[in-house]
């Protein structure tokens, strides 16, 4: 039986799990400059949000270490930090794409296929991870730690993959940016 905390947040989990990818997809297709707005391209953001992805990966690993070593409060704070970093990444990512032209990957041969496999899996898992993170977090809030641990075993590697591949995608495409 679900706790009242879980029931309270279930609708929000569903709404956010659908709304976030939809809003990002919609805003990704909006270029303010092409719509006639006088905005400067936020071309300084990609290395910042790539660094945020890298920091998120480190925070996730340290958070797992913390909980495995009985440091529950540290784990809790690190997980809140990881969620905050992910939200900051998302805001910067959308802002960049709303003010800048898309960058095409210029690599050729096998590296092009490697890039696209990493990019596609990164994008797909970045959508899938949203409800996993939210459910995992709410189960901790509800103090349903048995269920929290069970889903966290799935959430952690997926979220870590998204964070690490975000950095890899940036490193692979960065030579082709027009700053």
């Amino acid at each position: 039986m679900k706790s009242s905390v879980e029931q309270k947040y279930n609708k929000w989990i569903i709404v956010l799990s659908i709304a976030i990818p939809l809003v990002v997809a919609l805003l990704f297709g909006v270029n303010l400059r092409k719509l006639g707005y006088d905005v400067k391209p936020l071309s300084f953001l990609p290395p910042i949000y790539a660094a945020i992805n890298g920091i998120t990966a480190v925070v996730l690993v340290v958070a797992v270490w913390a909980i495995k070593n009985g440091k529950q409060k540290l784990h809790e704070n690190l997980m809140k930090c990881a969620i905050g970093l992910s939200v900051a990444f998302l805001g910067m990512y959308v802002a960049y794409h709303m003010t800048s032209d898309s960058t095409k990957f210029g690599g050729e041969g096998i590296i092009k296929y490697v890039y696209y496999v990493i990019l596609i899996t990164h994008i797909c898992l970045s959508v899938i991870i949203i409800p996993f993170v939210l459910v995992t977090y709410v189960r901790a809030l509800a103090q349903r730690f048995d269920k929290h641990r069970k889903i966290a075993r799935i959430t952690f590697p997926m979220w870590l993959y998204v964070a690490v591949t975000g950095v890899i995608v940036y490193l692979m495409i960065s030579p082709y940016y027009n700053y």
Side-chain angles (χ1 to χ4, degrees):
M1 181 172 213
K2 291 186 180 181
S3 74
S4 62
V5 172
E6 286 177 286
Q7 289 173 337
K8 176 181 169 185
Y9 288 107
N10 273 347
K11 287 178 188 152
W12 282 110
I13 291 170
I14 293 166
V15 167
L16 290 172
S17 296
I18 295 168
I20 292 171
L22 284 178
V23 169
V24 169
L26 288 171
L27 293 178
F28 191 84
V30 173
N31 187 305
L32 295 174
R33 291 175 38 240
K34 289 179 182 173
L35 292 174
Y37 292 96
D38 186 26
V39 294
K40 295 199 184 296
L42 300 175
S43 55
F44 62 92
L45 285 178
I48 295 170
Y49 62 67
I52 287 173
N53 263 332
I55 293 166
T56 301
V58 171
V59 168
L60 290 170
V61 170
V62 175
V64 168
W65 171 86
I67 201 62
K68 287 187 176 195
N69 285 282
K71 300 175 186 305
Q72 187 174 341
K73 191 63 179 171
L74 176 60
H75 172 78
E76 178 184 340
N77 290 334
L78 288 167
M79 294 313 301
K80 288 176 183 175
C81 180
I83 290 169
L85 288 166
S86 293
V87 170
F89 161 82
L90 198 55
M92 287 184 223
Y93 179 81
V94 168
Y96 169 76
H97 284 284
M98 288 181 71
T99 62
S100 305
D101 294 328
S102 291
T103 301
K104 297 209 181 300
F105 182 72
E108 296 179 3
I110 190 99
I111 198 69
K112 182 177 182 177
Y113 297 105
V114 169
Y115 171 79
Y116 282 110
V117 165
I118 294 170
L119 177 65
I120 290 166
T121 58
H122 170 79
I123 291 168
C124 291
L125 286 176
S126 71
V127 171
I128 293 168
I129 194 64
I130 295 168
F132 279 88
V133 168
L134 296 173
V135 168
T136 305
Y137 183 71
V138 167
R139 286 184 177 172
L141 278 179
Q143 298 184 355
R144 303 279 308 266
F145 297 116
D146 56 330
K147 293 192 176 284
H148 169 79
R149 271 189 298 277
K150 191 173 183 179
I151 194 167
R153 287 189 176 105
I154 300 166
T155 305
F156 168 71
M158 218 183 334
W159 196 355
L160 185 62
Y161 180 87
V162 169
V164 170
T165 56
V167 176
I168 293 169
V169 165
Y170 167 74
L171 292 173
M172 291 181 81
I173 200 166
S174 64
Y176 308 104
Y177 277 118
N178 294 319
Y179 292 109

